[in-house]
Amino acid sequence: MDFELPPSLGIYGNETIAKDILSRIWGKRGVFTCTVANTRTSTIPGLSDAGDTPELTMFTGPADAELLINGRVSCMKGIPINPGGIPTPATLTMAALQLSGMPCFIVNGGCSIVPYVPYFDMGGECGDFITTGKAVKNVRTEFEKGVMLGRMLAKANDFVVISESCAGGTTTALAVMTAMGVVKENLVSSSSPNNPKELKTKVVNEALAAAGIKPGDMKDDPLGAIECVGDPMMPANIGIVCGAAPHVPVIVGGGTQMGAVIAGVMALHPELKGNFLQGTTRWLMDDANSSMRRIVDSITPDVPSVYVNVDYSGSPYEGLQAYEWGFIKEGVGCGGSSVGAIAMSAGRITAADLKDRVEEIYRGIMGEAVAP
Amino acid sequence: MDFELPPSLGIYGNETIAKDILSRIWGKRGVFTCTVANTRTSTIPGLSDAGDTPELTMFTGPADAELLINGRVSCMKGIPINPGGIPTPATLTMAALQLSGMPCFIVNGGCSIVPYVPYFDMGGECGDFITTGKAVKNVRTEFEKGVMLGRMLAKANDFVVISESCAGGTTTALAVMTAMGVVKENLVSSSSPNNPKELKTKVVNEALAAAGIKPGDMKDDPLGAIECVGDPMMPANIGIVCGAAPHVPVIVGGGTQMGAVIAGVMALHPELKGNFLQGTTRWLMDDANSSMRRIVDSITPDVPSVYVNVDYSGSPYEGLQAYEWGFIKEGVGCGGSSVGAIAMSAGRITAADLKDRVEEIYRGIMGEAVAP
């Protein structure tokens, strides 16, 4: 294998598979999708920081969708931020899409607030608290429509990037991965450096108890696990991978919450191994309070992580520097779209280019207020 | 202009514009969209033949969507047919998409029966009887989302084909074109050779009276006309043209029902003239019981018609021969997708190739029953 990885990218897991996939999409034409969804789980106080308040976490997915398509938000004032004003990772996704010219489609996994953009409807609904043990409706429909959409996208593109914006998604992912027996402890990330691990574990334990599931019970039934304790982003995205990956390489863009999607695909179609990888950020891979590396090891190193070495430490903006302090780290496919953009440009786009464009976008969105 | 028109295509209207657009999309990469919608108007007995019974006309759009995406219908038994068993023109659309490899997306303008495919939701609803004078809800939303979708599609493709499957659509088109003063008499087509012109004119007159509109009142307000007496296919498609045509050429696929869409675009954005044309069939252009030619003359010859010279007269199948007797003639973008496929292949695909593939598809769908 003579594929040379540019310094803007890093690999964890099976390097041979990662380089093989990258070499096949290098300089090729990709398409980016972001599946937005809600789970009421994100409104449990203290659980999710993907929004300024627990109530505002319900607006984060739809607002990110509007930002990606129109460059501005209609469903709420301002843009999605974490408490403290740290801007949504959609800013990095926008930079990757702008620099590469990669087309972008929104998939509505199930939102309570409808984004004001054209989106692929998958027949999903807003997810309920996972503590009900009956969190997601229409799982089979969403999965089957996802398979169709994956096939449609693979027909017209050389590779497909999927991603998510669903506040509360790491908790639902922990629940599904626990139900499937993929993880035995809380390895998932948080958009806060103070990962509320005890609260997440408590909510997951309550959810599994309510559903009458013991860890590992749903090993071979990811869609069943999602129906009980998942969120409506998952079946749509598992479907898209299952529909697209038999035809073209797929980048699963996202952090630990995508562990549930990767584990779901591997349970349903293990033969797709070798044609999809995770695309993420170095912030997420290096997080001290979660372990994507151990999640990859648990599922299989043969679905490797490719991460973008984007670095905001030299940025004049505190809102961006905060990414270096452990805030946000991933979301809205910021890592996957960056990996996709670098691949599509055959390495001409660099992590430094991405950072520069994010600063431009950040200035545009925040106006004079953030002039350095 | 040294563009040579292949014998598979014909032109009506401004030949210079038509050839200029064709030369710019020749051998280029297109995308096909079909906007499916319902208007209760199609259930007025005797009005629409786009379905075996008045009630079944409501299934025609959704079933066509399923046929295009999955090659089979889930929402009803069999495939959409006209009384007498003549198959949906989606068979020709499928042939064009298969031969060219053109990607296809479904747009839901507003259906009462939801197609079992992933589709772009535009915020539309099933249209009411136009005789209420308040036929379509959310017209502005659908239009604005259409503009966004048009922009999105133009970003990733060299040209865009739009189309429709909406039973009752010629009557609603007549109503909108009359309200806009584009036509002064009933020039619209029917999927039956016995075009129920008196009934359509009567329904349109009732609709305009109910809305308090005199012919020509809505000259500059196509969205207002649609809200009163149109159908939910129209604002989505007008929006897509307005969003895409500033960037890439657009083919408006369809027959006389697309007159309302073309007139709407010309009223809102006359500067788009020169970057879009109608794509249709010779069956429609040569119909003795309607006059697409006079509709083109009335709106402007500068939005020319390019038609495919497909000929089913030599087909061993009566269901296809019926197209030569004045049945069906257009729908589901069969003409626009054919023109798009011929352009995308730089003329390598011919009208004869399309007919051969339609016969294969017809055999596949109907099975042994139609063995010649």
Side-chain angles (χ1 to χ4, degrees), chain A residues 40-328:
Chain A
R40 297 199 195 287
T41 313
S42 72
T43 64
I44 297 173
L47 191 89
S48 171
D49 257 10
D52 199 17
T53 65
E55 294 69 36
L56 279 175
T57 59
M58 297 296 271
F59 285 81
T60 296
D64 279 328
E66 294 170 346
L67 209 47
L68 290 184
I69 298 298
N70 292 323
R72 61 189 154 74
V73 172
S74 325
C75 70
M76 61 183 264
K77 273 191 80 154
I79 63 164
I81 53 170
N82 271 43
I86 304 149
T88 167
T91 45
L92 176 52
T93 315
M94 290 166 76
L97 297 177
Q98 287 177 15
L99 289 176
S100 63
M102 184 157 39
C104 166
F105 294 117
I106 300 301
V107 178
N108 184 349
C111 286
S112 66
I113 288 102
V114 172
Y116 198 72
V117 297
Y119 53 74
F120 282 113
D121 185 285
M122 308 302 279
E125 291 177 25
C126 172
D128 207 343
F129 294 100
I130 59 171
T131 45
T132 61
K134 295 175 196 162
V136 190
K137 292 204 176 80
N138 308 339
V139 169
R140 169 62 55 179
T141 296
E142 278 213 62
F143 169 74
E144 289 180 358
K145 290 194 175 184
V147 171
M148 295 179 211
L149 181 57
R151 265 192 228 125
M152 287 160 64
L153 295 170
K155 211 173 188 172
N157 300 279
D158 299 322
F159 67 95
V160 174
V161 187
I162 67 162
S163 69
E164 60 71 48
S165 179
C166 177
T170 52
T171 305
T172 50
L174 177 62
V176 168
M177 289 192 290
T178 305
M180 290 181 68
V182 167
V183 294
K184 293 188 176 53
E185 57 182 310
N186 184 344
L187 301 173
V188 297
S189 176
S190 164
S191 57
S192 162
N194 305 309
N195 191 342
K197 289 182 118 170
E198 293 71 25
L199 176 59
K200 288 185 184 182
T201 302
K202 182 175 154 276
V203 168
V204 167
N205 288 341
E206 272 180 48
L208 293 179
I213 296 173
K214 282 188 298 295
D217 275 1
M218 309 300 271
K219 184 173 178 297
D220 300 318
D221 186 9
L223 300 184
I226 291 166
E227 197 170 348
C228 295
V229 299
D231 67 56
M233 172 280 287
M234 297 169 176
N237 269 339
I238 291 173
I240 298 173
V241 178
C242 291
H247 309 288
V248 299
V250 175
I251 296 175
V252 176
T256 51
Q257 75 281 70
M258 286 313 216
V261 169
I262 295 169
V265 174
M266 287 307 296
L268 295 173
H269 288 285
E271 77 281 7
L272 295 178
K273 201 170 70 177
N275 217 27
F276 73 112
L277 52 73
Q278 181 192 24
T280 188
T281 66
R282 72 167 244 283
W283 301 309
L284 188 276
M285 291 308 288
D286 293 347
D287 181 32
N289 295 311
S290 65
S291 183
M292 190 67 226
R293 291 166 200 260
R294 285 176 59 198
I295 293 174
V296 171
D297 294 343
S298 295
I299 303 174
T300 166
D302 292 347
V303 181
S305 303
V306 175
Y307 52 92
V308 61
N309 288 316
V310 67
D311 186 340
Y312 289 172
S313 57
S315 174
Y317 304 112
E318 266 209 6
L320 297 178
Q321 282 171 28
Y323 279 68
E324 300 295 332
W325 311 333
F327 288 92
I328 310 264

Side-chain angles (χ1 to χ4, degrees), chain A residues 29 69-70 103-105 114-122 140-141 144-145 148-149 151-153 156-157, chain B residues 29 69-70 103-105 114-122 140-141 144-145 148-149 151-153 156-157:
Chain A
R29 177 195 169 86
I69 298 298
N70 292 323
C104 166
F105 294 117
V114 172
Y116 198 72
V117 297
Y119 53 74
F120 282 113
D121 185 285
M122 308 302 279
R140 169 62 55 179
T141 296
E144 289 180 358
K145 290 194 175 184
M148 295 179 211
L149 181 57
R151 265 192 228 125
M152 287 160 64
L153 295 170
N157 300 279
Chain B
R29 177 195 167 87
I69 298 299
N70 292 324
C104 167
F105 293 118
V114 172
Y116 198 72
V117 297
Y119 53 73
F120 282 113
D121 186 285
M122 308 302 280
R140 169 62 56 178
T141 296
E144 289 179 358
K145 290 195 176 184
M148 296 178 211
L149 181 57
R151 264 191 230 125
M152 288 159 64
L153 295 171
N157 299 277

Side-chain angles (χ1 to χ4, degrees), chain B residues 262-286:
Chain B
I262 294 169
V265 174
M266 287 306 296
L268 295 174
H269 288 286
E271 77 280 7
L272 295 178
K273 200 169 72 175
N275 218 25
F276 73 110
L277 52 74
Q278 180 192 24
T280 188
T281 65
R282 71 168 246 282
W283 301 309
L284 190 273
M285 292 308 288
D286 293 348

